[in-house]
Amino acid sequence: MNTLYLSAEDPKTPAIAANIIMQGGLVAIPTETVYGLGANGLDETAVAKIFEAKGRPQDNPLILHISGPEQIELFCHHIPQSAYDLAEKFWPGPLTMVLPARSIVPKRTTGNLDTVAVRCPDSDVTREIIRLSGVPLAAPSANISGKPSTTTAKHVKYDHDGRIDAIVDGGPCRVGVESTIIDLSGERPRLLRPGGITPEQLSEVLGEIEVDKAVTSQLGKDDVVRAPGMKYRHYAPTAPVVIVSGSREAAAQYIRAHFTPGDRVLCFEEELSLYEGCDPLSYGMEADVNTLSAGLFAALRELDDASIHQVYARCPVGGGVAYAVQNRLKKAAAFHVVDAEEEAK
Ligand code: TXA
Ligand code: MG
């Protein structure tokens, strides 16, 4: 298959991409979070192609991308007022809501669940593609399953060139980590995945929210899984990753003491000089957490190299967007964290 490359800036792009979607094809779409691999979310055959291209487990449901809050009721029922309040405040933007699904949504899209995840992405070209195709776009992150998500069209090309119909290039993704997922289908709102809309922002609308266990710890095989995607190995380079926490100095001391040739250090830009000779890679500035979320997946992709033995990673502390960065890094590290200050005692 010859993959078509389309620029988000070309006025012809939305119509070309929408046409491919209507014919049951696969189009990689830019969003503010990460690139998605989109297909007609109401067409089981088209949706099946997404699972095949990604090598995605069949029970892992997809997010339906819609063009605005007025489309929620087309695909969901028993919609609480809070869903509209969240949509009004945070859409278009990096927030996904899980709600009871209408029967029009195929089981392939929902991974056999009674609920469906919906989100309105903050990308003009992608919303225009949705409007023109007249259907919601089912779109997971465009990476091959298990690998770091794709935040540039080049990464999508690397994973899918010749295997999907088209890639729409909208430049690097602004947020860089996938959307926040809030489940509104149960008795209490529950955070299934942290992202660009922070728990603090959600609480302003929803009051207290529960945080799913999958966000904070490695799930065991007997744990109940609410977001099926959370149980799979994720974002992981080939080499094992360990997060080294503690002060800048304590962490550098620990890492330099344990570093052997062939290892890599993933750190903040402010720390580069501490790791001379240790092949450091910066993913952004600690002082500006948005640069860390925007740079994380590209860095993890660079570290996905079979010749690397071990990755030592530095992780931002605190809430807000840092909470989402911690979650992705901890998943990449299979929740393996070493406290350098404890180790120094
Ligand atoms: O930012 C994003 O959300 C990106 C862009 C492309 O929009 N998409 C994305 O999709 O991250 P994906 O498939 O990589 O992650 C979706 C997550 C998975 O963990 C999946 O299990 C969960 O959402 N999910 C989808 N539908 C669900 C549902 N009905 N109930 C619970 N979890 C659901
Ligand atoms: Mg994903």
Side-chain angles (χ1 to χ4, degrees), residues 29-227:
I29 47 165
T31 83
E32 77 283 26
T33 58
V34 300
Y35 276 75
L37 188 55
N40 177 354
L42 304 181
D43 175 349
E44 299 231 24
T45 316
V47 169
K49 290 185 196 165
I50 297 178
F51 284 89
E52 198 181 321
K54 269 186 70 97
R56 183 178 176 102
Q58 299 286 341
D59 69 344
N60 194 357
L62 304 174
I63 296 172
L64 277 188
H65 294 68
I66 59 180
S67 57
E70 66 290 348
Q71 292 202 314
I72 301 176
E73 63 186 28
L74 299 178
F75 311 110
C76 308
H77 61 85
H78 285 87
I79 306 158
Q81 180 56 39
S82 58
Y84 292 107
D85 296 342
L86 289 172
E88 158 128 24
K89 206 155 179 187
F90 301 119
W91 280 5
L95 178 67
T96 296
M97 298 189 250
V98 172
L99 292 162
R102 286 194 186 277
S103 56
I104 185 179
V105 185
K107 288 290 181 196
R108 257 201 193 274
T109 301
T110 65
N112 253 331
L113 298 174
D114 299 331
T115 54
V116 63
V118 289
R119 121 167 168 90
C120 176
D122 188 12
S123 155
D124 290 342
V125 68
T126 292
R127 284 202 314 282
E128 188 60 11
I129 295 169
I130 298 168
R131 268 193 294 272
L132 291 178
S133 58
V135 292
L137 289 194
S141 51
N143 54 287
I144 298 283
S145 257
K147 289 296 175 190
S149 296
T150 37
T151 51
T152 65
K154 202 170 131 204
H155 295 156
V156 181
K157 181 175 182 195
Y158 183 85
D159 282 11
H160 294 294
D161 190 32
R163 303 171 62 226
I164 61 176
D165 297 284
I167 298 175
V168 178
D169 188 346
C173 300
R174 171 174 60 82
V175 179
V177 294
E178 307 88 336
S179 61
T180 304
I181 305 180
I182 186 88
D183 183 353
L184 299 175
S185 70
E187 237 156 65
R188 292 227 219 113
R190 180 185 284 266
L191 182 71
L192 301 185
R193 182 174 73 182
I197 301 299
T198 66
E200 296 83 348
Q201 287 174 301
L202 291 175
S203 288
E204 277 174 30
V205 177
L206 299 171
E208 209 182 314
I209 57 173
E210 286 178 5
V211 176
D212 202 70
K213 202 176 156 197
V215 173
T216 49
S217 59
Q218 180 87 314
L219 291 178
K221 67 175 181 356
D222 296 328
D223 281 310
V224 176
V225 177
R226 290 212 165 65

Side-chain angles (χ1 to χ4, degrees), residues 223-277:
D223 281 310
V224 176
V225 177
R226 290 212 165 65
M230 302 300 265
K231 72 182 177 214
Y232 297 107
R233 185 168 187 260
H234 248 92
Y235 314 121
T238 339
V241 178
V242 58
I243 294 172
V244 182
S245 68
S247 72
R248 213 163 258 183
E249 294 68 29
Q253 202 172 19
Y254 177 90
I255 293 171
R256 295 194 71 97
H258 289 80
F259 185 92
T260 53
D263 296 344
R264 293 290 305 264
V265 179
L266 178 64
C267 64
F268 311 127
E269 194 153 327
E270 293 96 325
E271 299 180 329
L272 280 171
S273 62
L274 294 172
Y275 295 104
E276 262 168 46

